[in-house]
Structures are given as C-alpha cells and as structure tokens.
Amino acid sequence: MVKQLLFIVLNKTMILNRLLADLSENGIKGATVISSIGMAGALASAEENMSFSPFKMLFENVGEENKTIFMVIDEEKIYVVRNILTNLVGDLSKPNTAFMFAVPITFVDGITCIN
C-alpha cells in the first residue's frame, strides 16, 4: 500500500477533540498534533508590539493559534479523513476553516501502527 504523510491545518480549533475522536472511531489512530500559527498571524502579532505600523490594518481579522495535525496514512484512507473533516468544519474553501494536503512517503521507520 502507498503511504502518504497527511497534514491538516485546523483553524476551527474548537472541534479538535471531536475530529480526533471521529478519526479514531474510523480506524485512524496515529497522529501528532502541534500548536501553530500562520504567517499572517505571526506578522499581526509582531505588528501589535509596534506603536505605529502601516501594515496593522491588513491583519486586523487574522485568527489566533491553529492546530497542525499530521499522520502517516494509507492513501486509500485519505478520503475518510476528508469526509470527517468536511463534516465538522464545512466547506474547506471558506476562510478560517482548515486545509489539508498529503505528500508521498518513500519509507517509514519506527512506527508500529500505520493507519
């Protein structure tokens, strides 16, 4: 089976626990979750520390911290993750929901349980 490294950047962090539970219920049990912030959010945070900045208004509505989830997964199970994520956050093309992508893996070592 072809393995993929699947990344989800979750802006709607309030659904994180439900997402992880739904993944687990569907046989996807191994993932790593890290706190992250997008480039615009990082720039907005830096701009807040300046007394005047011409760029501050560009970042007024930028979200705070998000969660990045990554997992090694069988290529065939990507559609399961996509469906779960879409059911929880809605249309991924809308702002401040989530986005996901996968990259092929040439080898995996040190993982006993691959989804």
Side-chain angles (χ1 to χ4, degrees), residues 67-107:
K67 298 294 182 182
T68 299
I69 305 154
F70 58 97
M71 64 191 83
V72 176
I73 190 168
D74 290 330
E75 188 171 47
E76 296 78 26
K77 291 192 177 181
I78 289 176
Y79 79 93
V80 173
V81 177
R82 287 173 108 176
N83 287 337
I84 292 169
L85 184 60
T86 301
N87 287 336
L88 290 172
V89 301
D91 184 355
L92 297 184
S93 68
K94 303 286 184 198
N96 297 316
T97 54
F99 72 91
M100 63 184 287
F101 63 94
V103 294
I105 294 178
T106 56
F107 78 94

Side-chain angles (χ1 to χ4, degrees), residues 28-65:
I28 300 166
K29 302 198 183 287
T32 298
V33 180
I34 58 175
S35 295
S36 53
I37 187 167
M39 182 177 172
L43 289 171
S45 179
E47 294 295 322
E48 285 178 8
N49 297 324
M50 298 178 164
S51 59
F52 171 76
S53 171
F55 302 108
K56 192 169 187 166
M57 74 175 101
L58 294 174
F59 304 114
E60 284 179 10
N61 296 319
V62 173
E64 303 260 331
E65 180 180 89

Side-chain angles (χ1 to χ4, degrees), residues 3 9 17 57 111:
K3 304 293 184 205
V9 178
N17 290 338
M57 74 175 101
I111 300 175

